[in-house]
């Protein structure tokens, strides 16, 4: 892929404190660079005659096979110090099977050549590019990518970045809306489909939108029988376990929680929509007050995605007393008691955060209630975030281990917004397995799977509870400062630009400037 843009964006001061800012258009190159680096790491191992997975990466623990996928390189350990990721394989899959199946098509297994249709997302520019990479490299398929009308203006840049692929006939870009997408889905030349969108988009393609659609679903007579993978979002929870938090912990985690909701104005399929808090914890109101402060202080930001205004109006209609913060678009509903509430049962895809308070005399009891609510009440299984103080986890190891094992989400972030799993490339991204075309939920299949693992259940991410150097006090020391994806990071734009340049071409000489920008944030 080409490494330079055809045109330069106008220069501006680094005052945008929202990483992947606005709509992420000036920062999505890092996600592409990081995922490309992940594929290159694995393919270079194979080309050198080595197994894709390091020998000690695959192990069995408590009767389950797990794969340590991050950090994968020394640079990973340096740049995201304290961040780790582990892939859990499905029950019954052995370590030997996991090693043998990884990157199988690069190690002698016959592939299945196909033309894949990628129906691009409109919210995050990186999604389409990363789905293309997955189809090309992980599945060995050539691609026709239909740009979403919301960001179709990026097509010339995509064509420039992927110019070598386009020239060789491995990739083509097209524009269009639902009619063009439907035509391509039905085209006999298309063998496989991948869509990032909503459950409604999937059902319209597979079952149709006419009066017979529901009957087709009941009779299992889909309009399309091609290979179909999807990532469709849902209502993502952020679970906060009670613990011995300091004032600095409340401030930092409030920024973390607001980031998980307000990044990209909430137009993320993995945005935290329901905050699960302990009803009887004396820190609950303190945390909510800090969240309100962050919401008020963020720079103005509009909800740009089509339909967002109507969806937020529905939230206001259902909650006339909802708190309105900042520029008037940030809604906080601080005490939801109805489990049939709009925010509980439907993805808003906008800047509205709801709070559900659950019982629990202590961390273990609260975790049981939170896991049950997340699994059985909230729709979707794409990602969940769990925030827990290191000392709380240490004194509640069995309860924490049970919660991690039982949460049915494709990515679980512990002290880490689960969306980070979307970015790393080594971490498979998709819904928890078990959905069917008739009950699609958050989708079927995993992408961004650089090790090309099979039989995946979920990814478990971990990050420090506190940034450096405060981790020395809380018991999770690391070298990581406030992450540059935080909406409160003051030098996010500069940091991510320098990180992108480093990821594309690592060099010791680039580290001082990168670290300086990160620390200033």
């Amino acid at each position: 892929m080409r490494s330079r843009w055809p045109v330069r964006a106008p220069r501006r001061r680094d005052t945008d404190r929202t990483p992947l800012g606005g709509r992420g258009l000036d920062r999505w190159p890092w996600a592409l660079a990081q995922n490309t680096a992940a594929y290159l790491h694995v393919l270079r191992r194979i080309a050198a005659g080595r197994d894709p997975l390091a020998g000690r990466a695959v192990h069995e623990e408590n009767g389950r096979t797990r794969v340590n996928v991050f950090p994968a390189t020394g640079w990973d350990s340096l740049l995201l110090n304290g961040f780790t990721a582990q892939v859990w394989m499905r029950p019954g899959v052995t370590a030997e099977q996991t090693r043998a199946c990884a990157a199988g098509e690069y190690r002698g297994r016959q592939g299945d050549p196909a033309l894949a249709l990628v129906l691009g997302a409109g919210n995050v520019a990186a999604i389409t590019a990363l789905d293309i990479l997955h189809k090309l490299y992980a599945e060995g398929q050539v691609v026709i990518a239909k740009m979403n009308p919301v960001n179709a203006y990026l097509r010339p840049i995509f064509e420039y970045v992927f110019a070598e692929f386009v020239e060789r006939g491995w990739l083509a870009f097209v524009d269009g809306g639902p009619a063009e997408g439907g035509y391509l889905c039905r085209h006999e030349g298309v063998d496989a489909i991948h869509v990032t969108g909503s459950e409604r988009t999937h059902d319209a393609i597979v079952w149709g939108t006419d009066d017979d659609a529901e009957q087709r679903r009941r009779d299992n007579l889909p309009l399309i029988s091609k290979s179909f993978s999807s990532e469709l979002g849902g209502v993502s929870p952020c679970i906060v376990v009670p613990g011995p938090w300091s004032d600095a912990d409340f401030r930092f985690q409030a920024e973390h929680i607001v980031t998980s909701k307000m990044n990209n104005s909430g137009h993320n399929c993995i945005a935290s929509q329901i905050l699960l808090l302990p009803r009887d914890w004396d820190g609950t109101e303190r945390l909510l007050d800090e969240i309100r402060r962050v919401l008020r202080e963020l720079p103005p930001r509009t909800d740009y995605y089509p339909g967002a205004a109507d969806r937020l109006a529905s939230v206001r209609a259902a909650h006339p007393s909802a708190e309105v913060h900042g520029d008037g678009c940030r809604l906080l509903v601080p005490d939801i008691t109805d489990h049939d509430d709009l925010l509980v049962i439907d993805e808003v895809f906008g800047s509205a955060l709801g709070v559900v308070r659950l019982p629990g005399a202590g961390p273990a009891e609260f975790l049981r209630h939170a896991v049950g609510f997340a699994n059985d009440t909230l729709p979707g299984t794409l990602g969940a975030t769990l925030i827990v103080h290191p000392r709380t986890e240490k004194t509640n190891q069995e309860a924490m281990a049970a919660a991690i094992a039982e949460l049915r989400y494709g990515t679980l972030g512990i002290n880490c917004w689960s969306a980070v799993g979307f970015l790393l490339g080594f971490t498979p991204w998709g819904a928890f397995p078990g959905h069917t075309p008739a009950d699609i939920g958050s989708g079927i299949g995993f992408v961004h799977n650089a090790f090309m693992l099979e039989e995946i259940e979920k990814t478990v991410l971990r990050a420090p509870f506190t940034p450096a150097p405060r981790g020395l006090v809380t018991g999770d020391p690391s070298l990581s400062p406030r992450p540059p994806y935080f909406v409160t990071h003051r030098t996010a734009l500069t940091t991510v630009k320098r990180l992108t340049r480093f990821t594309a071409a690592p060099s010791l000489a680039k580290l001082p400037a990168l670290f300086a920008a990160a620390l200033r944030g």
Side-chain angles (χ1 to χ4, degrees):
M1 289 177 290
R2 299 184 190 273
S3 60
R4 293 182 181 274
W5 301 109
V7 294
R8 287 186 176 273
R11 293 183 61 83
R12 62 176 179 175
R13 294 178 60 195
D14 188 11
T15 56
D16 179 359
R17 295 186 299 162
T18 310
L20 303 177
R23 294 169 54 184
L25 302 182
D26 49 3
R27 297 175 175 92
W28 69 264
W30 179 75
L32 180 56
Q34 172 63 23
N35 275 255
T36 301
Y39 283 114
L40 284 171
H41 171 78
V42 176
L43 295 177
R44 284 167 176 161
R45 286 184 61 91
I46 297 171
R50 305 163 68 188
D51 288 340
L53 293 162
R56 289 179 293 179
V58 186
H59 59 283
E60 293 186 6
E61 187 177 338
N62 297 326
R64 296 288 300 277
T65 297
R66 304 179 186 180
V67 184
N68 297 331
V69 297
F70 192 89
T73 71
W75 295 126
D76 294 334
S77 299
L78 180 63
L79 295 175
L80 287 172
N81 188 257
F83 284 70
T84 63
Q86 190 177 74
V87 175
W88 289 33
M89 311 310 291
R90 296 193 193 194
V93 177
T94 67
E96 291 74 18
Q97 290 171 326
T98 299
R99 292 191 189 95
C101 292
E105 290 190 23
Y106 290 91
R107 303 163 68 211
R109 189 181 69 221
Q110 182 64 40
D112 184 20
L115 170 61
L117 169 63
V118 169
L119 295 173
N123 58 325
V124 175
I127 293 175
T128 302
L130 302 189
D131 290 345
I132 289 169
L133 277 185
H134 176 84
K135 284 295 184 180
L136 289 169
Y137 284 98
E139 299 191 17
Q141 300 172 352
V142 296
V143 177
I144 180 168
K146 188 192 80 64
M147 299 296 295
N148 189 289
V150 176
N151 59 21
Y153 63 92
L154 292 173
R155 175 179 167 181
I157 294 178
F158 277 29
E159 289 178 327
Y160 184 87
V161 172
F162 287 98
E164 290 92 342
F165 297 85
V166 174
E167 290 165 3
R168 288 166 173 78
W170 301 338
L171 171 63
F173 290 93
V174 297
D175 295 327
E180 290 78 9
Y183 170 80
L184 289 169
C185 288
R186 296 187 297 271
H187 197 286
E188 61 181 13
V190 171
D191 305 297
I193 302 169
H194 179 78
V195 58
T196 300
S198 68
E199 182 177 357
R200 289 180 290 274
T201 300
H202 168 273
D203 289 349
I205 294 170
V206 175
W207 307 110
T209 57
D210 58 13
D211 294 339
D212 297 326
E214 283 304 313
Q215 188 62 48
R216 289 192 200 96
R217 189 202 299 263
R218 287 191 292 270
D219 296 339
N220 194 27
L221 295 173
L223 294 173
I224 293 173
S225 57
K226 302 172 183 181
S227 173
F228 202 121
S229 58
S230 52
E231 189 264 90
L232 306 173
V235 176
S236 295
C238 179
I239 302 169
V240 177
V241 184
W245 291 23
S246 67
D247 290 344
D249 294 335
F250 281 104
R251 289 193 296 270
F252 179 79
Q253 294 303 339
E255 295 173 12
H256 186 187
I257 292 164
V258 172
T259 293
S260 74
K261 171 74 264 187
M262 298 302 168
N263 174 282
N264 200 27
S265 296
H267 305 318
N268 292 322
C269 54
I270 195 62
S272 296
Q273 183 164 306
I274 291 294
L275 179 60
L276 297 179
L277 293 177
R279 183 182 299 160
D280 302 318
W281 182 38
D282 59 4
T284 289
E285 291 304 325
R286 291 179 65 188
L287 179 60
L288 287 174
D289 284 343
E290 287 294 334
I291 288 172
R292 293 179 178 104
R293 177 188 61 79
V294 178
L295 290 174
R296 287 194 303 268
E297 293 177 358
L298 285 180
R301 169 71 55 81
T302 58
D303 284 61
Y304 67 86
Y305 208 78
D310 292 338
R311 292 189 295 273
L312 292 173
S314 296
V315 173
R316 290 189 180 191
H319 296 280
S321 60
E323 299 177 14
V324 181
H325 295 282
D327 54 13
C329 289
R330 302 180 193 122
L331 303 183
L332 177 67
V333 182
D335 194 4
I336 294 174
T337 57
D338 183 1
H339 292 183
D340 290 326
D341 189 276
L342 173 65
L343 281 166
V344 172
I345 65 174
D346 196 14
E347 183 179 12
V348 173
F349 212 66
S351 52
L353 176 65
V355 178
V356 172
R357 304 165 192 243
L358 297 175
E365 184 181 354
F366 170 75
L367 276 168
R368 286 194 297 272
H369 286 286
V371 170
F373 188 91
N375 282 344
D376 302 329
T377 302
L378 299 180
T381 64
L382 184 61
T385 300
L386 193 157
I387 299 174
V388 58
H389 193 286
R391 290 203 293 272
T392 303
E393 181 170 10
K394 186 175 181 179
T395 56
N396 294 270
Q397 293 183 20
E398 289 187 10
M400 275 294 298
I404 294 168
E406 293 168 11
L407 280 164
R408 296 192 296 269
Y409 288 86
T411 296
L412 172 61
I414 302 172
N415 295 329
C416 175
W417 181 26
S418 55
V420 173
F422 167 84
L423 299 169
L424 297 180
F426 297 107
T427 44
W429 182 250
F432 193 87
H435 298 298
T436 67
D439 184 16
I440 195 60
S442 291
I444 296 174
F446 287 89
V447 293
H448 312 182
N449 178 13
F451 287 109
M452 291 164 269
L453 301 171
E454 299 181 5
E455 300 298 326
I456 299 161
E457 181 182 81
K458 62 183 172 185
T459 297
V460 178
L461 289 161
R462 282 185 174 270
F465 176 75
T466 49
R470 282 200 303 110
L472 294 170
V473 176
T474 55
D476 59 345
S478 75
L479 299 177
S480 292
R482 174 185 280 103
Y485 56 82
F486 268 37
V487 294
T488 50
H489 198 287
R490 293 187 295 272
T491 60
L493 179 58
T494 294
T495 302
V496 175
K497 281 184 175 180
R498 292 175 181 175
L499 179 60
T500 302
R501 296 188 185 105
F502 180 91
T503 304
S507 167
L508 287 172
K510 298 176 183 176
L511 289 176
L514 172 57
F515 288 158
L519 290 170
R520 286 199 308 272

